[in-house]
Amino acid sequence: MAVDYTVIVVYLAGMLAMGWWGMRRAKSKSDFLVAGRRLGPVMYSGTMAAIVLGGASTIGGVGLGYQYGLSGAWMVFTIGLGLLALSVFFSARIARLKVYTVSEMLDLRYGGRAGVISGVVMWAYTLMLAVTSTIAYATIFDVLFDMNRTLAIVLGGSIVVAYSTLGGMWSITLTDMVQFVVKTIGVLLLLLPIAVVKAGGFGEMRAKLPTGYFDPLGIGGETIFTYVLIYTFGMLIGQDIWQRVFTAGSDRTARWGGTVAGTYCLVYALAGAVIGTAAKVLYPNLGSPDDAFATIVKDELPVGVRGLVLAAALAAVMSTSSGALIACATVANNDIWSKLRGAVKRDSVEEQHDEVRGNRVFILVMGVAVIVTAIALNNVVEALTVAYNLLVGGLLVPILGGLLWKRGTAQGALASVAVGGLAVVGLMAAYGILANEPVYYGLLLSLAAYVTVSLVTPATDAAVLAAWRERLAGRGAPELAPEPVAAHQ
């Protein structure tokens, strides 16, 4: 295992080095939180694909393939569909707003009265998303070093917190680009063909497994519908995803770069399902489907290749973890703390340096909170379900309503967030965290509250809507145009 260990150690050291280099580029709030809004299509595509394809998509996607066959691709497939929809229909308008958070968008659209409560819901979502990724370190480091679960979470989490705190979005963008390359080589170009060959090829796989393993809808129509509702719509509104959209250097980059990333996700989804199906042939009696990835990597891959594929798994986890962490810290600072203390933002260079330091502190504090929470929790699926149920049930309607329906009001948005969020929490307590009913009924109640309250309250002030349309058109933004130096990076 010495060669594999060397590959992993070099990879982790490289992540820290990227963080240090990114620190030198993060000179302003815009640099630190959204990479100066200067990314070109190549870096934008790679980093967007990296953040949406995390540990759940890699380890969990292979596990679903082990359990259900090719239809196990649907979870990651719906993530790709959501990213495609976001990129084609909404990303250009979102990028033009020149904001830092989803709640700032809601404030612009509804007149400055929706931010704090939506910020709390978004903060809870990003926190739980970061926690789920951090828990996944335990699985990977257990395979690598037979390491204690708590120590594995602390080690992996500390590396992500370190490079995220140093350089913010610049560090995360650079590391995500490396992680995208490592994932592509490790999972698509190495593990996928090796797993299929070891299982005897597709003919042998068909001969040894039930026909249901090759049914595209074998996982069940209700499950697929739930995946669409949670993950496809979740991609449209998550702070972690929007914050990447904000890094785009142009409308074209946001639209076409995101489309490339979404297409990559569809390929990745199918690859994970095929790897899981091959693992079912090789190891038909594993204790848990989520053990399939680690088992096939540990037992079937040659020395060196095994280290690279495990580095790919680490890359998947780290990219999502760092993206969720900076999103969590950004929301906590911009949407909750600054409003609660009544902070007045200034545009001076000195103030922006202060804001960089302040955001570093928030990333560090949120990172410690994520690590502590990850140690306390044990079920990744439950934590991820709570995160997406809160996001979709509480924020989908007011966000899409604000973008698509000019009659929506601030009162309607607040009612929608409150009713949807509380309904989801109550229904999860009643039906169980993993039940489908909480997000179904919570979303319907959120929609009913939004439409009803919006129609019985006065329409949004015409001046607010006019300012909103100006921002959507790319005019009236408070920031200067991005520097061209890195536009085609």
Side-chain angles (χ1 to χ4, degrees):
M1 293 287 288
V3 175
D4 296 324
Y5 291 161
T6 301
V7 172
I8 297 297
V9 170
V10 169
Y11 168 76
L12 294 176
M15 294 302 97
L16 292 174
M18 290 286 186
W20 182 261
W21 190 82
M23 181 177 67
R24 301 173 61 186
R25 302 200 65 166
K27 303 299 185 183
S28 69
K29 179 181 178 181
S30 178
D31 286 335
F32 193 82
L33 295 182
V34 290
R37 307 189 196 274
R38 292 186 292 170
L39 296 192
V42 173
M43 289 193 74
Y44 181 86
S45 299
T47 57
M48 183 63 88
I51 187 176
V52 299
L53 296 173
S57 300
T58 303
I59 298 170
V62 172
L64 287 171
Y66 182 90
Q67 190 172 2
Y68 298 105
L70 297 185
S71 67
W74 273 105
M75 183 187 78
V76 183
F77 200 83
T78 55
I79 290 173
L81 291 178
L83 186 52
L84 285 171
L86 174 71
S87 301
V88 172
F89 299 113
F90 299 108
S91 62
R93 283 188 285 174
I94 291 170
R96 287 188 213 121
L97 291 174
K98 294 292 188 290
V99 295
Y100 292 102
T101 68
V102 174
S103 294
E104 284 185 50
M105 167 263 168
L106 292 173
D107 278 348
L108 278 173
R109 168 60 181 80
Y110 295 112
R113 289 174 286 175
V116 174
I117 186 171
S118 62
V120 171
V121 175
M122 189 63 78
W123 173 80
Y125 156 73
T126 53
L127 178 72
M128 295 307 292
L129 186 62
V131 166
T132 60
S133 300
T134 304
I135 291 173
Y137 294 126
T139 302
I140 299 169
F141 281 110
D142 178 55
V143 175
L144 280 172
F145 307 117
D146 193 24
M147 187 179 290
N148 172 270
R149 177 182 183 275
T150 298
L151 183 59
I153 289 172
V154 171
L155 175 60
S158 296
I159 292 171
V160 169
V161 171
Y163 72 69
S164 300
T165 302
L166 285 172
M169 187 60 82
W170 266 122
S171 293
I172 292 171
T173 296
L174 295 168
T175 54
D176 277 0
M177 197 63 200
V178 173
Q179 289 158 357
F180 169 74
V181 173
V182 172
K183 277 193 291 192
T184 301
I185 295 172
V187 175
L188 297 184
L189 302 183
L190 292 176
L191 182 57
L192 174 61
I194 290 173
V196 172
V197 169
K198 291 284 187 178
F202 286 103
E204 189 72 12
M205 290 162 64
R206 281 185 174 275
K208 290 187 176 181
L209 293 173
T211 56
Y213 267 72
F214 301 91
D215 179 0
L217 304 178
I219 198 170
E222 184 179 353
T223 299
I224 294 171
F225 177 73
T226 302
Y227 285 158
V228 170
L229 200 60
I230 292 177
Y231 297 115
T232 300
F233 285 108
M235 286 295 106
L236 297 180
I237 58 174
Q239 169 68 23
D240 52 323
I241 309 302
W242 278 39
Q243 200 156 345
R244 294 310 172 95
V245 175
F246 300 152
T247 66
S250 67
D251 291 359
R252 182 179 177 84
T253 294
R255 184 179 294 112
W256 293 108
T259 301
V260 171
T263 305
Y264 179 90
C265 291
L266 304 184
V267 175
Y268 200 87
L270 185 59
V274 171
I275 293 167
T277 304
K280 184 67 175 179
V281 173
L282 295 168
Y283 313 100
N285 299 309
L286 290 178
S288 167
D290 284 342
D291 293 337
F293 179 87
T295 303
I296 197 169
V297 169
K298 190 174 183 179
D299 293 350
E300 302 297 336
L301 298 186
V303 172
V305 173
R306 178 171 49 204
L308 183 59
V309 173
L310 286 171
L314 270 177
V317 174
M318 284 184 165
S319 56
T320 299
S321 181
S322 59
L325 176 59
I326 193 171
C328 179
T330 303
V331 170
N333 189 8
N334 281 29
D335 297 336
I336 301 174
W337 172 246
S338 65
K339 290 181 180 178
L340 291 178
R341 68 185 175 90
V344 177
K345 295 178 177 142
R346 299 178 181 87
D347 293 327
S348 68
V349 173
E350 182 181 357
E351 181 65 21
Q352 289 196 353
H353 277 288
D354 289 339
E355 288 185 344
V356 169
R357 288 195 289 270
N359 280 294
R360 279 201 177 102
V361 170
F362 267 88
I363 290 179
L364 183 60
V365 171
M366 290 298 108
V368 172
V370 165
I371 291 171
V372 171
T373 307
I375 292 170
L377 295 180
N378 199 28
N379 193 310
V380 178
V381 176
E382 287 190 358
L384 193 64
T385 302
V386 169
Y388 274 96
N389 281 354
L390 279 172
L391 177 69
V392 174
L395 290 178
L396 178 66
V397 170
I399 291 172
L400 292 188
L403 289 169
L404 301 173
W405 190 41
K406 66 179 181 180
R407 186 60 181 84
T409 66
Q411 295 89 341
L414 288 170
S416 179
V417 174
V419 171
L422 291 173
V424 163
V425 172
L427 290 165
M428 281 192 293
Y431 285 97
I433 289 175
L434 298 180
N436 293 329
E437 288 83 357
V439 72
Y440 292 172
Y441 298 145
L443 192 54
L444 288 173
L445 289 170
S446 177
L447 177 61
Y450 181 71
V451 173
T452 302
V453 175
S454 291
L455 290 175
V456 300
T457 52
T460 304
D461 185 84
V464 172
L465 287 177
W468 165 253
R469 285 191 292 268
E470 284 289 299
R471 290 290 284 272
L472 278 180
R475 299 185 295 269
E479 296 183 26
L480 296 175
E483 300 172 30
V485 67
H488 301 288
Q489 192 162 358

